[in-house]
Amino acid sequence: MEVKDFLDKAQENMEMAVEYLDDSLAHIRAGKASPRLLDAIRVDYYGSSSPISNVANISVPDARTIAITPWEKSMFKEIEKAIINSDLGITPENNGEVIRLSIPPLTEERRKTLVKQSKAEAENAKVSVRNARREAIEGLKKEIKKGMSEDVEKDGENEVQKLHDKYMKKIDEVFAAKEKEILTV
């Protein structure tokens, strides 16, 4: 294998770690209404488990409200039950036409808890990036035994380190943005 192969694999893994962090932070409620809060909630739809977005229209009429309009009347109870049983912590309001979720403002204590949760997610992403760096460097070291020159291997290690630093900075930026979003009252 060439140095480029190791770099590409490491970069792909690091990129996936940042994307996963982005996705997991999107599901952390920051006091603003977002349809992505409902992504993890599943409802029973004719015997199969489906996301709410597959059985209803989800809209955000204002910053504190999520409106869910089921396509079938029979889904009202299923959707309400799924939301109540989820870890969202919001009680749905049903007027027969639309299910409304009013997002309450966050307490200071809840904000701190959410920041800790976000920090843990960021830390997991950093661990993934470090693991990708370690795997690439180990792979490069094995290539020396197969005939790669040490200079080329060292240059490869430096490139992997640069990638590592770039993605660590990205993770810090994503976390800082989420922290700011959570702490903004």
Side-chain angles (χ1 to χ4, degrees), residues 73-103:
K73 293 277 187 209
S74 62
M75 292 309 297
F76 273 99
K77 289 276 181 256
E78 286 289 334
I79 292 172
E80 282 187 317
K81 191 170 76 175
I83 292 170
I84 290 169
N85 292 338
S86 74
D87 61 355
L88 203 55
I90 299 171
T91 306
E93 302 162 21
N94 175 357
N95 67 4
E97 298 287 319
V98 176
I99 299 171
R100 292 193 190 287
L101 301 178
S102 296
I103 311 292

Side-chain angles (χ1 to χ4, degrees), residues 108-121:
E108 190 62 31
E109 186 178 316
R110 181 76 177 131
R111 286 178 196 280
K112 287 179 181 167
T113 306
L114 291 175
V115 168
K116 276 185 189 167
Q117 188 181 344
S118 300
K119 190 167 187 70
E121 292 289 349

